Every structure is written in C-alpha cells, then in structure tokens.
Amino acid sequence: MAHKESLPYDKTDPISIYEYALPLIDHTLREIVGDAAVAGYNSKNKGELGQMVEELYYHYKPNSSPEPDFREAGVELKTTGLKELKDMTLQIKERLVVDMINYNEVVSQTFEMSLFYKKFRLLLLLFYLYEKGVEQFDRYFLYVVLWKIPEKDLLIIKNDYEVIINKIKRGEAHLLSEGDTEYLGACRKGNKDSKLRQQPYSNVLAPGRAFSLKPAYMRTVLEFIKASKKKSVVNFKYKEKASQIATAAELRNDTFENIVLRKFDDYQGLTYEQLCSKIGKRYDTSKDKYVVASTRQCLLRISTTLRFMILKTGWILVYMRFSAVVFCLPFSEPMAGR
C-alpha cells in the first residue's frame, strides 16, 4: 500500500501555500530537496521546473486538469525566468504560457468558460534566475509572488480573449498575431516545421498557438515586486493569521529562542526512521550521505509557521548526526553590533 504523506501546508489556504514557498528564495531546488530527490526524479519530466517544484517540494503529482494546481485554494503555480543584463538589472525572459489553443473548441467558449478564467486568476509566481547551460534544478529562485489578477486587468484580458476568438470565428486563425492584443496573447508554439492545425471556419491550416500573458504584462508584475523592495509579496490585502509559535504572555516570561526550542522537544533523540514515522515522511536511506539533508527537510516540515519564523529571525539550522539520532541547536548569523 502506498505511503500517504501529510502535507506541510494548508492546501485550502492561498497564504499557507505562498508562505510555504518562501524558503525557496535565494536557493535552488536541489539545495532545498537534496541530491537524492534530484537523482531519483523521473528524467522524462526534466525541463519543466514548475513540475519539479510541484512534485518534489509541494508533494503532489502534476496533471493536465482544467482546474488550478491547488484546486481547493484556487491557486495556480507557475515558474518564470529572469535574465540579468550587463548593468545587473533583471529582465523578464519570456511570456508566461497558459495553454494551447484548440481552434475547434475555443470558439464555443465564453471567457468565463475558458481555462484561463478557471485557472489563472490567482497565481503563485516563482521567479528564478535564468542562466544558459545551468540545469533546472540548479537555478536560483529570486522572488515569490502571490498575484491576484486585478479586476481592471481581467477586463482587458477578457477583451483580448474575445479579439482572439472573433478572429478564429472569421476563419483567420492563420492570421493571429500577438500584436492584436494587450495583455493576453496568442503566441506561436513550435518551429516553422511544426505541424499545422485545422481551424473550424476556413480550410487554411494555421500554426499552433497558445494563450499567454505577454512579456509586457509580466514586466508590470516585476515592477510591482521591485517597487515593494521585497523578495516576497502579495498584491492583495488579506487578514494575517495570528502566529501560534509564541503568545504575548509566553514572551513576557521567556525568550523567543527557548520557546522555539521547546517546539522540537517531541523530536529530540529520535532516529531518522522514527522521525520519518512521526511526521508521515517516507523512510529512505538508499544513500546514507543524504540522511542529514533529509532530516533537515523533516524538521522544517513540522510547522509551516515555525519554519517561516526561523526564516525571519535569520537563524541557521545546523544538523549533526550521532548514531543517526537527531539533536537541534540554533545558530545565528553574526549581526552588526553583537
């Protein structure tokens, strides 16, 4: 019987899903999930960083469902690349592809029936640094953004969608151009030798195209991030959940460090196998040198809020093995004036 893992985030809560992504910032996927996970990843899926994040970090299997990746929260996860220019500024590498256009089907779908409307109104965007020749696993994540498409933008996108659909209805799918629209484009997919496709209102075959958020729109998202002067940002207001790590009453009587360390009391002295069993993680010692890295992931999965609080304090979690038994001690990076 397959082992069922409990998720280290609330799959019904967009903010929980967003906060779970924050430890990716300034790290590669390989650094976060470990060499063992990278080595064991199904090679046929390599090339799609988003799918790797979904499967190895968020622990769910990618699929082609018309619903968002995180269905219960209405969140779609997308990774997108940034290029560093000679002056060290960052630039959007490419458009954000939504889905292939089926010319025969889209003509009967209103915007509200479209896959874009169903999946792409709330996006978890993971921006990474694109470097030629660097494997997907080794690309550094720079920004994490929870982006709810503003109402005004959605109206423009709806108009763009209708422009594209009306052109197909006129039998002009072969004449589609990204210049036709503002935010939502119909971008070419494949090369000049790719198979042409049938369209419903003309015998002229048309090149394959996909709906996409155009580079100009993605630049507005990047500018929003830069203006915030933060590496993680949400573009809508939400009510923050009170942290359960430490109450005001606890902090009046003890230090934050002691309070956090007590959260690990139930895990002190456990073997790696016992730790896996306690939190519902698959026990794997196929390569002994990966056990410490796996232990780190186990401890960070104990609590999303705890992990985020440790991230905010600047602590570094150091792991040492003594006969495969876990002990936890906090170390802080040196701070000015200390």
Side-chain angles (χ1 to χ4, degrees), residues 12-27:
T12 68
D13 181 6
I15 299 303
S16 176
I17 295 166
Y18 158 76
E19 289 184 343
Y20 184 69
L22 300 185
L24 290 169
I25 297 172
D26 293 330
H27 292 282

Side-chain angles (χ1 to χ4, degrees), residues 89-223:
T89 58
L90 295 171
Q91 176 180 298
I92 294 292
K93 178 180 178 289
E94 58 195 1
R95 60 188 64 80
L96 189 71
V97 174
V98 175
D99 194 47
M100 287 298 297
I101 301 175
N102 185 318
Y103 298 128
N104 293 302
E105 292 181 1
V106 295
V107 290
S108 61
Q109 296 174 348
T110 65
F111 179 63
E112 289 73 20
M113 293 169 57
S114 70
L115 183 136
F116 182 95
Y117 189 81
K118 293 176 180 177
K119 291 187 69 167
F120 286 81
R121 285 177 292 165
L122 183 56
L123 299 169
L124 178 63
L125 298 172
L126 308 181
F127 287 88
Y128 63 87
L129 180 63
Y130 172 81
E131 296 177 281
K132 189 175 181 180
V134 175
E135 291 188 22
Q136 296 273 25
F137 285 116
D138 297 317
R139 290 175 175 169
Y140 281 88
F141 291 101
L142 302 179
Y143 303 116
V144 172
V145 184
L146 186 60
W147 184 263
K148 182 178 181 179
I149 295 184
E151 184 179 359
K152 289 181 180 179
D153 294 358
L154 205 57
L155 290 172
I156 294 172
I157 290 170
K158 179 179 180 178
N159 183 71
D160 290 341
Y161 178 85
E162 291 172 350
V163 167
I164 294 168
I165 300 306
N166 288 336
K167 202 162 188 175
I168 298 171
K169 286 181 176 180
R170 294 197 300 269
E172 298 176 350
H174 57 292
L175 299 178
L176 283 170
S177 167
E178 288 191 85
D180 295 337
T181 52
E182 302 296 331
Y183 292 167
L184 185 71
C187 67
R188 285 282 295 264
K189 294 294 289 183
N191 54 42
K192 292 181 180 180
D193 297 324
S194 296
K195 184 179 179 181
L196 298 177
R197 299 170 179 243
Q198 291 184 332
Q199 55 174 313
Y201 298 106
S202 171
N203 293 325
V204 180
L205 297 179
R209 290 184 176 271
F211 287 119
S212 65
L213 286 174
K214 298 171 72 170
Y217 185 80
M218 296 306 297
R219 282 197 291 272
T220 66
V221 179
L222 181 58
E223 290 305 311

